[in-house]
Amino acid sequence: MGINILGTGSYVPDQTFTNDDFTRFVETNDEWIRTRTGICERRMAGWEPVWYMGTQAALKAIEASGIDPSEIGLVISTTVTGDFLTPSTASIIQDKIGAKNASAFDLNAACSGFVYALDTARRFLETEPSMKYVLVTANEALSRFTDFTDRGSCILFGDGAAAVIVERSDKMFTSHLGSDGSGANVLFARSLMPAPEVAVESDFEDNFPEMSLNKLYQNGKEVYKFAVAALPKAFELAAEKIGVTKEEIDWFIPHQANIRIIETAAKKLGVSMDKFVVTLDHYGNTSSASIPLALDEAVRSGKVKKGDKIALIGFGAGLTYGGIVMEY
Ligand code: COA
């Protein structure tokens, strides 16, 4: 059983941060950032809540789908930057959009979150016949825990949200999800400091005494190495399950982390960059929101059309990765 994406939507905050804006905080320059990452600008949420961004994106996806929100059976929200530890961002969005018959939960698989959530949505639709539609909304404000003193990481991230409404269908669908927790300490942000008496020896606070609570720590080189291997691997492991080949794919829509990661992975796969949807130049890395943001932009610009075969490929903290190959 596959799924049909009925409608997509996205929302980004108004505030644009150019590469030059970072020169106010750290020693950097536009040329370095463009050539090392492909990023020119990104959006910043300021104090705009994550649930608000997700709600706006969800409303647009509902409008594009032409459905009544009361027909949504499940809301899955992906975020690493929820406004609250509890309740979930999904519960708040569920209320704001009037999805009064839906269950709701958050899913955190970092930048792979959207791929994990879309795969989860399909599984719910397969096993719950009374469920008609699932809303997957990816909402992130990485600026909340970006370390603006670390020039190697702060220039990468941006804020935004995007959503899709899905229903069951007999369209082609295959997926593969993976995780390598041994790499958890190369990309992380702590939320709460453990009480001293329960602190245990760990790869995190012992090895990184200088890192601050609530800020993102990244070992850029290690993450880069992981990413250039994970991107082709996630696609290949999903595709080989049903024998779909790279030549059959119309559009590759990868997590938007760094243009050099995408170019290296494209080369490894032997696929032209023309087949890759790229939005990181104007949005930067918006974690789990980056794939659906790129999808929404590609759909609305007429690039991705019904019947196209698309590959959605995520990778990120965890270290997690995931690939979905499906008919749009
Ligand atoms: N501006 C100017 N110089 C910078 C800089 C910046 N913003 N950030 C780092 N540098 C400097 C470094 O300090 C270093 O200087 P040194 O040689 O004097 O020590 C030099 O540039 C090279 O640094 P390096 O870390 O080797 O750069 P890089 O080519 O590996 O690029 C990243 C750094 C972060 C862009 C790259 O490693 C990367 O993209 N990693 C993956 C990150 C990612 O995608 N994370 C999210 C995954 S979901």
Side-chain angles (χ1 to χ4, degrees), residues 27-28 32 36-37 111 151-152 155-156 218 220-221 223-224 255 257-258 260-261 285 315-316:
E27 209 181 313
T28 188
W32 193 96
R36 299 290 179 114
T37 71
C111 302
R151 66 178 180 170
I155 44 102
L156 298 173
Q218 170 181 275
K221 282 204 190 323
V223 176
Y224 190 94
H255 171 47
N258 182 325
R260 291 192 300 144
I261 291 173
N285 178 346
F315 53 87

Side-chain angles (χ1 to χ4, degrees), residues 109-319:
C111 302
S112 309
F114 181 75
V115 173
Y116 269 63
L118 198 59
D119 195 47
T120 304
R122 193 202 68 80
R123 291 169 198 274
F124 267 91
L125 287 166
E126 185 172 34
T127 57
E128 181 49 69
S130 66
M131 195 176 278
K132 204 166 168 191
Y133 305 120
V134 178
L135 165 68
V136 176
T137 172
N139 351 268
E140 305 278 12
L142 271 288
S143 58
R144 298 270 163 81
F145 61 45
T146 298
D147 180 352
F148 285 100
T149 65
D150 176 13
R151 66 178 180 170
S153 66
C154 70
I155 44 102
L156 298 173
F157 301 104
D159 303 339
V164 295
I165 298 281
V166 293
E167 62 180 353
R168 65 176 64 72
S169 88
D170 53 11
K171 287 181 174 184
M172 181 260 268
F173 184 100
T174 178
S175 65
H176 180 87
L177 306 180
S179 174
D180 175 9
S182 71
N185 63 357
V186 300
L187 184 57
F188 68 94
R190 295 189 53 86
S191 57
L192 296 168
M193 199 63 96
E197 65 272 21
V198 297
V200 290
E201 192 184 332
S202 84
D203 293 341
F204 298 92
E205 53 270 15
D206 295 347
N207 291 344
F208 306 101
E210 76 286 4
M211 63 149 300
S212 34
L213 179 65
N214 246 335
K215 293 287 176 244
L216 189 83
Y217 170 85
Q218 170 181 275
N219 179 332
K221 282 204 190 323
E222 287 304 313
V223 176
Y224 190 94
K225 268 196 270 173
F226 158 73
V228 294
L231 204 164
K233 181 166 119 183
F235 167 72
E236 281 161 356
L237 290 173
E240 73 184 19
K241 287 184 186 173
I242 57 165
V244 62
T245 64
K246 62 190 182 195
E247 289 79 15
E248 293 174 72
I249 306 301
D250 296 291
W251 294 105
F252 288 80
I253 309 180
H255 171 47
Q256 309 281 312
N258 182 325
I259 194 68
R260 291 192 300 144
I261 291 173
I262 299 176
E263 284 169 353
T264 306
K267 207 176 260 178
K268 277 193 182 178
L269 278 170
V271 172
S272 159
M273 273 300 285
D274 295 343
K275 283 200 164 191
F276 280 74
V277 176
V278 175
T279 57
L280 60 77
D281 53 327
H282 48 285
Y283 291 145
N285 178 346
T286 54
S287 191
S288 71
S290 87
I291 293 175
L293 260 174
L295 175 65
D296 183 53
E297 193 173 293
V299 167
R300 286 174 191 262
S301 70
K303 206 178 235 185
V304 169
K305 299 181 192 63
K306 279 290 162 200
D308 282 356
K309 291 187 178 61
I310 58 174
L312 311 174
I313 311 161
F315 53 87
L319 296 163

